[in-house]
Amino acid sequence: MIEDIIRLNSLYDYYGKLLTDNQKQSFYYYYRMDYSLSEIAELIGISKQGVSDNLKRATKELEFYEENLKLAKKSTSIKGFLNQIESITSREDNQENIEISNLVKKIEKELED
């Protein structure tokens, strides 16, 4: 269950802007702020069933985007490769390895933004 929530939050980071406003709000309050369906319904002015439907649609859409675009999977793979490069270059402290290490850090920062 926790792994699913972490995965969905990761997918939201990549694709959340593609959801409708109600889906975004429902998702944010439910998965990030831990609000109940009733609290969310009252907050955004829709029924509890509407919130539930928004969450189901949002989850389905996030999974659909990842299945087709694979941005989260690719990012995870790239981060793994960067960690391997960092590990290899940290074994020997020469100028070339320091430059490679600095480039790896810049790439990692770009992936986070």
Side-chain angles (χ1 to χ4, degrees), residues 14-112:
Y14 285 98
Y15 309 113
K17 291 181 181 178
L18 300 173
L19 301 175
T20 67
D21 287 340
N22 275 344
Q23 288 172 340
K24 282 189 266 192
Q25 288 179 319
S26 296
F27 187 96
Y28 176 80
Y29 289 122
Y30 187 77
Y31 286 107
R32 296 211 166 165
M33 302 300 292
D34 200 28
Y35 282 26
S36 71
L37 296 180
S38 299
E39 290 171 319
I40 299 167
E42 186 176 323
L43 202 67
I44 64 176
I46 62 174
S47 69
K48 188 175 163 182
Q49 183 61 49
V51 173
S52 179
D53 291 345
N54 281 339
L55 290 170
K56 287 176 189 172
R57 276 190 239 110
T59 300
K60 188 175 180 176
E61 287 186 34
L62 293 172
E63 293 289 356
F64 173 80
Y65 294 136
E66 178 59 15
E67 183 180 313
N68 288 281
L69 300 173
K70 297 177 178 34
L71 296 179
K73 181 180 178 184
K74 289 175 185 176
S75 178
T76 300
S77 293
I78 291 168
K79 288 176 185 176
F81 296 141
L82 292 172
N83 285 336
Q84 289 176 357
I85 293 168
E86 186 70 37
S87 174
I88 292 167
T89 57
S90 67
R91 293 180 193 153
E92 193 176 321
D93 213 13
N94 61 43
Q95 187 59 34
E96 188 176 81
N97 284 349
I98 291 170
E99 289 175 23
I100 292 170
S101 180
N102 288 336
L103 285 173
V104 165
K105 288 175 185 163
K106 286 180 183 179
I107 293 169
E108 288 171 337
K109 184 170 176 10
E110 281 295 315
L111 287 172
E112 295 298 320

Side-chain angles (χ1 to χ4, degrees), residues 1-11 31 63:
M1 180 70 174
I2 296 284
E3 294 83 18
D4 293 336
I5 292 171
I6 292 169
R7 175 176 162 66
L8 286 173
N9 274 293
S10 176
L11 295 181
Y31 286 107
E63 293 289 356

